[in-house]
Amino acid sequence: HWGAKRTLRAFAIVLASTWALEWIGSSTGIPFGTYSYTDVLQPQLAHVPLHIPPAWFMMLPPSWAIAASITKGRMGIGFVVISALAFTAWDLFLDPQMVAWEYWVWHEPGLYYGIPVSNYLGWFLSAALVTALVRPTTLPIRPLIVVYAITLFLSSVGLFFFWNLPGPALWGAMGMGLFLALAIYRSQ
């Protein structure tokens, strides 16, 4: 939809900025809290698995589409905040799953299935920063909302039925489901 040049530019910004955020986060504890990656996910660059930045790129555009639908295309601060919240809702699924699979470990116990609340604040701030850097406009809203919905569905089913994480499955479904419902309602 954006063409190769604009898509590659956004991809490069997301990969570089999220790798840097993950490296800073795993090295200093800022902004997510103190955690470290295990050796399970390979390859790694400076102890950050190279799988992580593309995962951000997988879910940021659907989160942008959710925000664009909710804000009716207004791309101001409300768009940045809503897209960051919609993206962070995905982590209600992801972090408990990745900890259970021993892809990373938290050094301090947290309130949400062993994950500190600071992690979610860090996700929100990081997603807002990356969104502001990319400045996404003219998004293909419907296809990206479908990706958001598919991710919600598959994460819910996977965590609940296959990976024995019913709590995160329900909380993640409610979190992402709220943003999906608002996006669909606002697109009417």
Side-chain angles (χ1 to χ4, degrees):
H1 181 81
W2 278 353
K5 184 178 178 182
R6 187 169 175 205
T7 301
L8 288 173
R9 178 187 170 276
F11 185 68
I13 290 169
V14 170
L15 260 56
S17 61
T18 59
W19 178 87
L21 287 163
E22 294 286 352
W23 177 74
I24 291 167
S26 61
S27 300
T28 68
I30 299 170
F32 306 105
T34 53
Y35 71 102
S36 56
Y37 291 104
T38 66
D39 291 331
V40 176
L41 285 177
Q42 294 292 329
Q44 295 184 3
L45 174 63
H47 304 292
V48 175
L50 294 180
H51 299 76
I52 303 298
W56 283 73
F57 192 70
M58 179 197 84
M59 280 309 293
L60 277 168
S63 300
W64 297 334
I66 292 288
S69 182
I70 292 171
T71 64
K72 300 248 183 213
R74 290 185 294 278
M75 301 306 239
I77 191 72
F79 169 82
V80 172
V81 168
I82 292 169
S83 68
L85 288 170
F87 181 79
T88 302
W90 175 49
D91 197 43
L92 296 171
F93 289 121
L94 186 67
D95 232 282
Q97 179 183 3
M98 298 299 105
V99 169
W101 289 0
E102 299 179 353
Y103 288 172
W104 54 81
V105 293
W106 289 97
H107 299 231
E108 302 166 10
L111 297 175
Y112 182 73
Y113 301 97
I115 298 150
V117 173
S118 61
N119 175 60
Y120 297 96
L121 178 60
W123 268 62
F124 170 77
L125 294 172
S126 298
L129 173 65
V130 175
T131 298
L133 290 172
V134 173
R135 296 187 311 267
T137 57
T138 61
L139 296 159
I141 304 295
R142 286 191 178 158
L144 289 171
I145 287 177
V146 169
V147 171
Y148 195 87
I150 290 170
T151 303
L152 184 163
F153 175 75
L154 292 177
S155 296
S156 298
V157 169
L159 267 66
F160 194 88
F161 292 105
F162 298 105
W163 299 309
N164 197 30
L165 294 166
L170 294 173
W171 285 108
M174 286 190 296
M176 285 184 75
L178 171 67
F179 289 101
L180 180 61
L182 285 171
I184 292 169
Y185 174 76
R186 294 285 289 172
S187 69
Q188 305 294 326

